[in-house]
């Protein structure tokens, strides 16, 4: 008597096909969601990089204004060393708590050295001086250069002091009583309080701090995006889900259909084949339930 197993095999295949359709739809929707999230994360990372580039540019631009102010103050204080040709390393090492680093100061110092050489050349060639004792031949070269004009003013002030000192020495020598009336122009007045440069400097410092805070926040967001990208490269449970999907399809759909139609004259063979396919079907169901439980498990590290 033949024992037919075709009905059981087709039932297992049909049931498995329904389960695979549900599992496949879940995995497909998850993969689509991951793909969309990847695109959104990459787009956000691009925006963050553009924002960081803007804030860094603004910070550097504002910092350059303060560096120019600090460098000009340093050069004014060290104008005699500049004129004497002393190196920046020696001058910088003799200053207590300079407001600008040596690296940021160097390009400004080099520019000042060049302007000092031009200034000296004009003086040696008896170039005409304006009321600030600056050679008129150099005025137009610093027409839109505040730093350059500030250096020339410092050099002109130094030249003025030298000329006034020589004049007073001659007056004193020609005066039998040795008395020389002071000139009001010999006195320097501190106009920083009314020039507004101190206020601008402080505002720049506040703006620089704001830019640094914005950059720090963007760096944190950038780090989070990179961590999210790494997580999306290896989404939790997707590989195992695909493996279960493939194995369940092979053993619970393809194999039953491959053995169908199936009949056996030996009852023992019939029972063994039936138990094998039922065990495969049961193992597949258990694997799917275990996979769903795994997805529902809460991970404190994520």
């Amino acid at each position: 008597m033949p024992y037919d197993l075709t009905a059981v095999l087709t039932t297992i295949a049909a049931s498995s096909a329904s389960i695979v359709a549900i599992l496949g739809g879940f995995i497909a929707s998850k993969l689509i969601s991951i793909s969309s999230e990847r695109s959104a994360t990459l787009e956000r990372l691009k925006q963050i990089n553009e924002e960081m580039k803007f804030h860094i540019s603004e910070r550097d631009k504002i910092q350059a204004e303060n560096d120019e102010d600090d460098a000009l103050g340093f050069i004014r204080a060290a104008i005699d060393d500049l004129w004497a040709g002393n190196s920046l390393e020696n001058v910088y090492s003799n200053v207590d708590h300079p407001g600008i680093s040596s690296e940021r100061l160097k390009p400004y110092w080099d520019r000042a050295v060049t302007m000092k050489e031009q200034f000296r050349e004009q003086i040696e060639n008896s170039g005409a001086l304006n009321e600030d004792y600056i050679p008129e031949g150099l005025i137009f070269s610093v027409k839109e250069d505040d730093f350059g004009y500030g250096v020339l003013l410092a050099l002109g002030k130094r030249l003025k002091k030298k000329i006034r000192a020589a004049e007073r020495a001659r007056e004193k020598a020609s005066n039998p009583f040795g008395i020389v009336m002071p000139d009001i122009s010999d006195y320097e007045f501190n106009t920083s309080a009314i020039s507004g440069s101190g206020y601008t400097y402080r505002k720049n410092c506040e703006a620089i701090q704001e830019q640094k805070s914005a950059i720090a926040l963007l760096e944190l967001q950038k780090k989070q995006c990179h961590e999210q990208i790494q997580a999306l490269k290896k989404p939790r449970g997707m590989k195992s889900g695909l493996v279960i999907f493939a194995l369940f399809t092979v053993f619970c759909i393809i194999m039953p259909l491959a053995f169908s139609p199936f009949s056996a004259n030996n009852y023992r063979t019939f029972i063994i084949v039936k138990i094998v396919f039922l065990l495969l079907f049961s193992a597949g169901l258990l694997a799917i339930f275990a996979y769903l439980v795994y997805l529902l498990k809460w991970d404190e590290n994520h």
Side-chain angles (χ1 to χ4, degrees):
M1 175 182 176
Y3 298 96
D4 189 14
L5 200 60
T6 303
V8 175
L9 295 178
T10 53
T11 301
I12 291 175
S15 300
S16 300
S18 300
I19 295 172
V20 165
I22 296 172
L23 181 62
F26 170 77
I27 294 176
S29 64
K30 187 67 175 177
L31 291 175
I32 293 173
S33 174
I34 290 173
S35 178
S36 301
E37 194 171 351
R38 282 177 179 173
S39 300
T41 303
L42 291 174
E43 183 63 26
R44 176 55 185 156
L45 183 61
K46 181 180 178 182
Q47 294 176 356
I48 289 174
N49 288 330
E50 291 176 352
E51 291 178 17
M52 283 188 65
K53 185 177 179 181
F54 169 77
H55 286 293
I56 290 173
S57 175
E58 288 296 305
R59 180 202 63 188
D60 292 344
K61 182 174 68 175
I62 300 171
Q63 184 64 58
E65 294 178 4
N66 277 11
D67 285 348
E68 182 176 296
D69 197 20
D70 289 332
L72 188 57
F74 182 94
I75 290 169
R76 284 170 177 164
I79 194 66
D80 291 332
D81 292 300
L82 177 70
W83 185 265
N86 296 333
S87 66
L88 175 61
E89 290 75 13
N90 293 335
V91 178
Y92 193 86
S93 61
N94 293 326
V95 177
D96 293 332
H97 307 294
I100 183 172
S101 67
S102 176
E103 292 76 13
R104 297 207 308 267
L105 176 60
K106 190 177 186 308
Y108 294 102
W109 182 269
D110 293 340
R111 284 179 58 195
V113 170
T114 301
M115 300 191 71
K116 181 260 296 185
E117 296 298 334
Q118 296 174 349
F119 188 95
R120 174 175 284 175
E121 182 180 353
Q122 290 285 333
I123 297 301
E124 291 175 352
N125 293 334
S126 301
L129 304 177
N130 66 2
E131 64 276 6
D132 294 318
Y133 286 73
I134 299 174
E136 293 182 354
L138 296 178
I139 293 297
F140 291 101
S141 64
V142 293
K143 186 176 181 180
E144 297 180 358
D145 183 5
D146 293 337
F147 174 79
Y149 187 70
V151 172
L152 290 181
L153 280 176
L155 291 170
K157 184 178 293 186
R158 181 188 180 280
L159 177 62
K160 179 181 178 181
K161 286 182 178 179
K162 293 293 183 181
I163 293 175
R164 290 296 301 145
E167 291 176 349
R168 293 178 65 183
R170 287 195 299 269
E171 291 177 4
K172 187 175 181 180
S174 62
N175 191 330
F177 298 101
I179 300 175
V180 178
M181 295 298 295
D183 190 342
I184 192 173
S185 64
D186 291 337
Y187 296 96
E188 298 180 5
F189 297 94
N190 184 7
T191 59
S192 60
I194 60 174
S195 63
S197 61
Y199 173 79
T200 302
Y201 188 92
R202 290 192 298 273
K203 292 295 291 183
N204 283 348
C205 289
E206 294 175 1
I208 291 171
Q209 191 58 44
E210 291 176 359
Q211 297 298 332
K212 287 182 177 179
S213 299
I215 292 171
L217 178 59
L218 289 172
E219 286 178 345
L220 176 60
Q221 294 177 358
K222 184 176 180 178
K223 179 182 177 182
Q224 293 173 342
C225 282
H226 281 298
E227 292 176 351
Q228 189 173 6
I229 289 172
Q230 291 299 321
L232 291 173
K233 285 182 178 179
K234 298 180 180 179
R236 180 173 180 265
M238 283 298 99
K239 286 186 177 180
S240 57
L242 291 173
V243 171
I244 293 173
F245 177 83
L247 293 177
F248 192 79
T249 301
V250 171
F251 289 105
C252 297
I253 298 178
I254 296 176
M255 284 185 62
L257 291 178
F259 277 84
S260 181
F262 181 86
S263 62
N265 294 324
N266 189 300
Y267 182 73
R268 184 178 180 182
T269 302
F270 169 80
I271 292 298
I272 291 174
V273 173
K274 183 177 181 179
I275 291 174
V276 168
F277 278 103
L278 287 176
L279 287 175
L280 289 175
F281 182 68
S282 300
L285 290 177
L286 288 175
I288 292 174
F289 285 129
Y291 173 68
L292 294 177
V293 171
Y294 167 74
L295 291 180
L296 290 174
K297 183 180 179 181
W298 180 263
D299 190 352
E300 294 291 344
N301 296 324
H302 290 80

